[in-house]
Amino acid sequence: GGARAINMGVARRAEALSARNLVAEVRYGFVKGTPAIADAIYGFSSHEIIVYPLFFSEGYFTRQRLPGILREASAADSRLLFRVLPPLGVDPALSALVVEQAAATAHGHGVPCEQTTVVLLAHGSHTDQASRMSAEGLASLVRQTRRFRSARIALLEGEPALRDTTADVLGPIIVVGLFAGEGQHGADDAPRLIAELKRHDIIFAGTVGTAGLGALVV
């Protein structure tokens, strides 16, 4: 299922990071799912831990849930020292990954980048604007590269929906999912929404990276 795909993606990312020998230990944990973040933390031999939140925005999970989990861990073991990095979605390097993924997809389908509109499909929220703001900021960075005709956003929850974002755009369109690996949103929701549009000029580039509903702790 979707959760299993997310877990596998994060596990592969952790293995790749560990193989680079940049730090002594690499573990991963999830806010929802197993292994839990606390279990990953207590598995370390070191007490100095860097936490990289694999989220696409600075929303509820990064502002409240994750800090709460780390506070509980610190209360249980006062020797723990955490350094929390900005989440994946606001990492300056993410826009380059999006651009390269969209460009590779365009090339693979024989579509000129300069004639292509890139649509970043994010989760969104009816109560928290963090996901929208992160997606809009990323779309702005993609536009600044001037490699594509334009870059827009679409949301699963909230507006604009994918149908509305693409309604006035003449193809080709490449949709990049800002989701956790190939989980439910990346493997199910995005392809379904694109199929419902019944347009042959919209191409799904897959999801960006293997980020999940959790955090990478090193």
Side-chain angles (χ1 to χ4, degrees), residues 97-118:
L97 294 178
V98 171
V99 167
E100 291 308 313
Q101 183 166 349
T105 301
H107 178 74
H109 286 78
V111 175
C113 288
E114 63 273 12
Q115 298 177 17
T116 300
T117 297
V118 175

Side-chain angles (χ1 to χ4, degrees), residues 3 7 29-37 61 65 69 213-214:
N7 289 16
F30 300 93
V31 171
K32 296 181 179 180
T34 55
I37 292 175
F61 285 102
R65 285 294 302 279
I69 292 171
L213 292 179

Side-chain angles (χ1 to χ4, degrees), residues 165-183:
T165 294
T166 59
D168 64 341
V169 179
L170 297 177
I173 299 171
I174 292 178
V175 178
V176 179
L178 303 184
F179 303 119
E182 295 298 329

Side-chain angles (χ1 to χ4, degrees), residues 56-57 61 120-135 153-160 178-179 185:
F56 279 98
S57 66
F61 285 102
L120 305 182
L121 181 62
H123 189 282
S125 171
H126 294 294
T127 58
D128 191 335
Q129 294 299 307
S131 179
R132 169 194 287 275
M133 293 173 62
S134 179
I153 73 164
L155 305 175
L156 293 182
E157 293 185 11
E159 298 179 351
L178 303 184
F179 303 119
H185 299 312

Side-chain angles (χ1 to χ4, degrees), residues 20-89:
R20 298 182 65 182
N21 296 316
L22 298 175
V23 291
E25 301 173 85
V26 179
R27 294 181 180 272
Y28 63 93
F30 300 93
V31 171
K32 296 181 179 180
T34 55
I37 292 175
D39 293 334
I41 290 172
Y42 298 137
F44 285 118
S45 58
S46 173
H47 296 107
E48 296 184 11
I49 300 172
I50 299 172
V51 182
Y52 187 26
L54 299 182
F55 297 91
F56 279 98
S57 66
E58 293 185 292
Y60 168 74
F61 285 102
T62 53
R63 293 197 307 260
Q64 298 185 43
R65 285 294 302 279
L66 179 58
I69 292 171
L70 299 182
R71 284 194 299 270
E72 292 177 0
S74 295
D77 187 344
S78 60
R79 296 172 299 174
L80 292 174
L81 178 63
F82 296 107
R83 177 189 174 194
V84 182
L85 302 178
L88 173 66

